[in-house]
Coordinates of all heavy atoms in Angstrom, one line a residue:
V1 N -8.2 7.7 4.8 CA -8.5 6.5 5.5 C -7.2 5.7 5.5 O -6.2 6.0 4.8 CB -9.6 5.7 4.9 CG1 -10.9 6.5 5.0 CG2 -9.3 5.2 3.5
N2 N -7.2 4.6 6.2 CA -6.0 3.7 6.2 C -6.0 2.9 5.0 O -7.1 2.4 4.5 CB -6.2 2.7 7.5 CG -4.9 1.9 7.7 OD1 -4.5 1.2 6.8 ND2 -4.3 2.1 8.9
A3 N -4.9 2.6 4.4 CA -4.8 1.9 3.1 C -5.3 0.5 3.2 O -5.9 -0.1 2.3 CB -3.3 1.8 2.7
A4 N -5.3 -0.1 4.4 CA -5.8 -1.5 4.6 C -7.3 -1.5 4.6 O -7.9 -2.5 4.4 CB -5.3 -2.0 6.0
E5 N -8.0 -0.3 4.7 CA -9.4 -0.2 4.6 C -9.9 0.0 3.2 O -11.1 0.2 3.0 CB -9.9 0.9 5.5 CG -9.6 0.7 7.0 CD -10.0 1.9 7.8 OE1 -9.7 3.0 7.5 OE2 -10.7 1.6 8.9
V6 N -9.0 0.0 2.2 CA -9.4 0.1 0.8 C -9.3 -1.3 0.2 O -8.2 -1.9 0.1 CB -8.5 1.0 0.0 CG1 -8.9 1.1 -1.5 CG2 -8.6 2.4 0.6
F7 N -10.5 -1.9 -0.2 CA -10.5 -3.2 -0.7 C -10.5 -3.2 -2.3 O -11.4 -2.6 -2.9 CB -11.8 -3.9 -0.3 CG -12.0 -5.3 -0.6 CD1 -11.5 -6.3 0.3 CD2 -12.5 -5.7 -1.8 CE1 -11.7 -7.7 -0.1 CE2 -12.6 -7.1 -2.2 CZ -12.2 -8.0 -1.3
P8 N -9.5 -3.9 -2.9 CA -9.4 -3.8 -4.4 C -10.0 -5.1 -5.1 O -10.1 -6.2 -4.5 CB -7.9 -3.9 -4.6 CG -7.4 -4.8 -3.4 CD -8.3 -4.5 -2.3
S9 N -10.5 -4.9 -6.3 CA -10.9 -5.9 -7.1 C -10.6 -5.6 -8.6 O -10.5 -4.4 -9.0 CB -12.5 -6.1 -7.1 OG -12.9 -6.6 -5.8
S10 N -10.3 -6.7 -9.4 CA -10.1 -6.5 -10.8 C -10.7 -7.6 -11.6 O -10.9 -8.7 -11.1 CB -8.5 -6.6 -11.1 OG -7.8 -5.5 -10.4
T11 N -11.1 -7.3 -12.8 CA -11.7 -8.3 -13.7 C -11.3 -8.0 -15.1 O -11.3 -6.9 -15.5 CB -13.2 -8.4 -13.5 OG1 -13.7 -9.4 -14.4 CG2 -13.9 -7.1 -13.8
G12 N -11.0 -9.1 -15.9 CA -10.6 -8.8 -17.3 C -9.6 -9.9 -17.8 O -9.7 -11.0 -17.3
I13 N -8.7 -9.5 -18.6 CA -7.8 -10.4 -19.2 C -6.6 -10.7 -18.3 O -6.1 -9.8 -17.6 CB -7.2 -9.8 -20.5 CG1 -8.3 -9.5 -21.5 CG2 -6.1 -10.7 -21.1 CD1 -7.9 -8.8 -22.8
I14 N -6.3 -12.0 -18.2 CA -5.2 -12.5 -17.4 C -3.8 -12.2 -18.1 O -3.7 -12.3 -19.3 CB -5.3 -14.0 -17.1 CG1 -6.6 -14.2 -16.2 CG2 -4.1 -14.6 -16.4 CD1 -6.9 -15.7 -16.0
G15 N -2.8 -11.9 -17.2 CA -1.4 -11.9 -17.7 C -1.0 -10.5 -18.3 O 0.1 -10.4 -18.8
V16 N -1.8 -9.5 -18.2 CA -1.5 -8.2 -18.7 C -1.2 -7.3 -17.5 O -2.0 -7.2 -16.6 CB -2.6 -7.6 -19.6 CG1 -2.3 -6.2 -20.0 CG2 -3.0 -8.5 -20.7
P17 N 0.0 -6.6 -17.5 CA 0.4 -5.7 -16.4 C -0.7 -4.7 -16.2 O -1.3 -4.1 -17.1 CB 1.7 -5.1 -16.9 CG 2.3 -6.1 -17.8 CD 1.1 -6.7 -18.5
L18 N -1.0 -4.4 -14.9 CA -2.0 -3.4 -14.6 C -1.4 -2.0 -14.7 O -0.4 -1.7 -14.1 CB -2.5 -3.6 -13.1 CG -3.6 -2.6 -12.7 CD1 -4.9 -3.0 -13.3 CD2 -3.7 -2.6 -11.1
P19 N -2.0 -1.2 -15.6 CA -1.5 0.2 -15.7 C -1.9 1.1 -14.5 O -2.8 1.9 -14.6 CB -2.1 0.7 -17.0 CG -3.4 -0.1 -17.1 CD -3.1 -1.4 -16.4
A20 N -1.2 0.9 -13.4 CA -1.5 1.6 -12.2 C -1.6 3.1 -12.4 O -2.5 3.8 -11.8 CB -0.5 1.3 -11.1
E21 N -0.8 3.7 -13.3 CA -0.7 5.1 -13.4 C -2.1 5.6 -14.0 O -2.5 6.7 -13.7 CB 0.4 5.5 -14.3 CG 0.4 5.1 -15.8 CD 0.7 3.6 -16.0 OE1 1.1 3.0 -15.0 OE2 0.5 3.1 -17.1
K22 N -2.7 4.8 -14.9 CA -4.0 5.2 -15.4 C -5.1 5.3 -14.3 O -6.0 6.1 -14.3 CB -4.4 4.3 -16.5 CG -3.6 4.4 -17.8 CD -4.2 3.5 -18.9 CE -3.4 3.6 -20.2 NZ -4.0 2.8 -21.3
L23 N -5.0 4.3 -13.4 CA -6.0 4.3 -12.3 C -5.8 5.4 -11.3 O -6.7 6.1 -10.9 CB -5.9 2.9 -11.6 CG -6.1 1.7 -12.4 CD1 -6.1 0.4 -11.5 CD2 -7.4 1.7 -13.3
V24 N -4.5 5.6 -11.0 CA -4.2 6.7 -10.0 C -4.6 8.1 -10.6 O -5.1 8.9 -9.8 CB -2.7 6.7 -9.7 CG1 -2.3 7.9 -9.0 CG2 -2.3 5.4 -8.9
A25 N -4.5 8.2 -11.9 CA -4.8 9.5 -12.5 C -6.3 9.8 -12.4 O -6.7 11.0 -12.5 CB -4.4 9.5 -14.0
K26 N -7.1 8.8 -12.2 CA -8.6 9.0 -12.2 C -9.1 9.0 -10.8 O -10.4 9.3 -10.6 CB -9.3 8.0 -13.0 CG -9.2 8.2 -14.5 CD -10.0 9.4 -14.9 CE -10.0 9.6 -16.4 NZ -10.8 10.8 -16.8
L27 N -8.3 8.8 -9.8 CA -8.8 8.6 -8.4 C -9.4 9.9 -7.9 O -10.5 9.9 -7.2 CB -7.7 8.1 -7.5 CG -7.3 6.6 -7.7 CD1 -6.2 6.3 -6.8 CD2 -8.5 5.7 -7.5
A28 N -8.8 11.0 -8.1 CA -9.3 12.3 -7.6 C -10.7 12.6 -8.1 O -11.6 13.1 -7.4 CB -8.3 13.4 -7.9
E29 N -10.9 12.3 -9.4 CA -12.2 12.5 -10.1 C -13.2 11.6 -9.4 O -14.4 12.0 -9.1 CB -12.1 12.2 -11.6 CG -13.4 12.2 -12.3 CD -13.3 11.8 -13.8 OE1 -12.2 11.9 -14.3 OE2 -14.3 11.3 -14.3
L30 N -12.9 10.3 -9.2 CA -13.8 9.4 -8.6 C -14.2 9.9 -7.2 O -15.4 9.8 -6.8 CB -13.1 8.0 -8.4 CG -13.1 7.1 -9.6 CD1 -12.4 5.8 -9.2 CD2 -14.5 6.8 -10.1

């Protein structure tokens, strides 16, 4: 799909860099 059609949300601790590589590694499984 188009990247603009993917809506993101996050919740948790403020001020901590998002470990994008951890999320990307799980996307195929999802």
Side-chain angles (χ1 to χ4, degrees):
V1 301
N2 190 302
E5 295 177 313
V6 178
F7 185 93
S9 290
S10 299
T11 181
I13 298 173
I14 292 173
V16 178
L18 181 73
E21 65 284 353
K22 291 185 177 182
L23 305 186
V24 169
K26 284 291 180 177
L27 290 177
E29 177 186 332
L30 279 180

